[in-house]
Amino acid sequence: GEMLRSTNTMSFEVDFPGMLQEKRRIFQNCGFSYSKLIDQEKRVKHVGVDLSVPGWEDELLAQGFQKEAKTVWLLEGLTGYLTDEELKQLLGIISESSAESSLIIATWITPDNPTKLGMHRFFTNDPSAVVKPFGFVEVDVSPLGKAGKHYNRNVDTKSFHTYLLSCHRKEKRLLNVNWPSA
């Protein structure tokens, strides 16, 4: 909470409404409550929407999101659950809602990931090819396991089949997006 206060930063947690309620309950049961940040200081906003359905950005704006502010989009454990079309739509909305120098940090799973589930619908060996058509450049992609080792984290060898991507939005451009499916 102190970092949000000291930098005058807002955080928007976007997820299914039921999932947001469950996260709040789990955190509270663990002795952590960020209700002060949500309810009193209004630094954290819960935005209960389905990111695969068009129009979610309207609720984000209604909660106070500002398109002209630099934004960090954290797509952790999300991209693999979307279809090609849902992911294109999501990245298009993110691009249109992002000021220059905004950042995407995302995880991506490879087609040969041994931990993939039947629910996973999008795989790629080249996440940079997925985000570049949406104006995100200066792409840094590394296996999640390699990133973990860099930060002295215990690393499961399966995490080398998941990529961590970081990129900045430099230009508004939406091309006819046709990336190769795995």
Side-chain angles (χ1 to χ4, degrees):
E2 186 56 38
M3 184 176 73
L4 293 175
R5 281 185 215 97
S6 67
T7 59
N8 198 26
T9 300
M10 295 292 301
S11 175
F12 296 86
E13 186 171 0
V14 183
D15 208 333
F16 295 110
M19 187 57 76
L20 290 172
Q21 289 174 341
E22 184 64 8
K23 286 178 188 177
R24 220 172 174 175
R25 184 192 68 76
I26 290 169
F27 279 131
Q28 191 164 359
N29 287 345
C30 294
F32 175 78
S33 175
Y34 57 122
S35 62
K36 182 178 179 185
L37 291 170
I38 295 172
D39 302 325
Q40 295 170 14
E41 297 182 25
K42 310 282 189 227
R43 294 248 177 247
V44 175
K45 304 280 186 152
H46 277 176
V47 183
V49 295
D50 181 345
L51 289 170
S52 68
V53 176
W56 62 265
E57 66 278 17
D58 296 335
E59 181 60 25
L60 187 63
L61 291 167
Q63 291 282 342
F65 178 81
Q66 298 174 349
K67 288 182 174 187
E68 64 279 358
K70 289 182 189 175
T71 303
V72 176
W73 299 89
L74 178 60
L75 309 177
E76 183 181 20
L78 172 66
T79 61
Y81 292 103
L82 301 175
T83 64
D84 286 14
E85 212 43 55
E86 290 168 341
L87 187 55
K88 287 176 188 175
Q89 176 188 343
L90 175 67
L91 292 172
I93 292 169
I94 287 174
S95 180
E96 286 299 313
S97 302
S98 296
E100 189 172 310
S101 296
S102 288
L103 175 69
I104 290 178
I105 300 171
T107 54
W108 305 83
I109 56 177
T110 64
D112 59 344
N113 188 318
T115 62
K116 69 181 175 186
L117 304 171
M119 296 183 281
H120 289 126
R121 302 184 285 176
F122 186 85
F123 309 93
T124 184
N125 284 315
D126 187 7
S128 62
V130 177
V131 298
K132 283 183 178 179
F134 297 93
F136 286 91
V137 294
E138 295 180 14
V139 179
D140 177 40
V141 178
S142 65
L144 191 57
K146 184 177 178 184
K149 279 187 173 184
H150 177 76
Y151 291 104
N152 298 317
R153 302 284 191 247
N154 291 333
V155 177
D156 181 342
T157 56
K158 294 175 185 163
S159 63
F160 282 89
H161 296 276
T162 303
Y163 290 113
L164 179 65
L165 169 136
S166 171
C167 57
H168 287 87
R169 188 186 152 288
K170 285 294 185 192
E171 53 194 47
K172 271 202 194 257
R173 77 177 173 187
L174 291 174
L175 307 175
N176 186 7
V177 179
N178 291 307
W179 59 69
S181 293

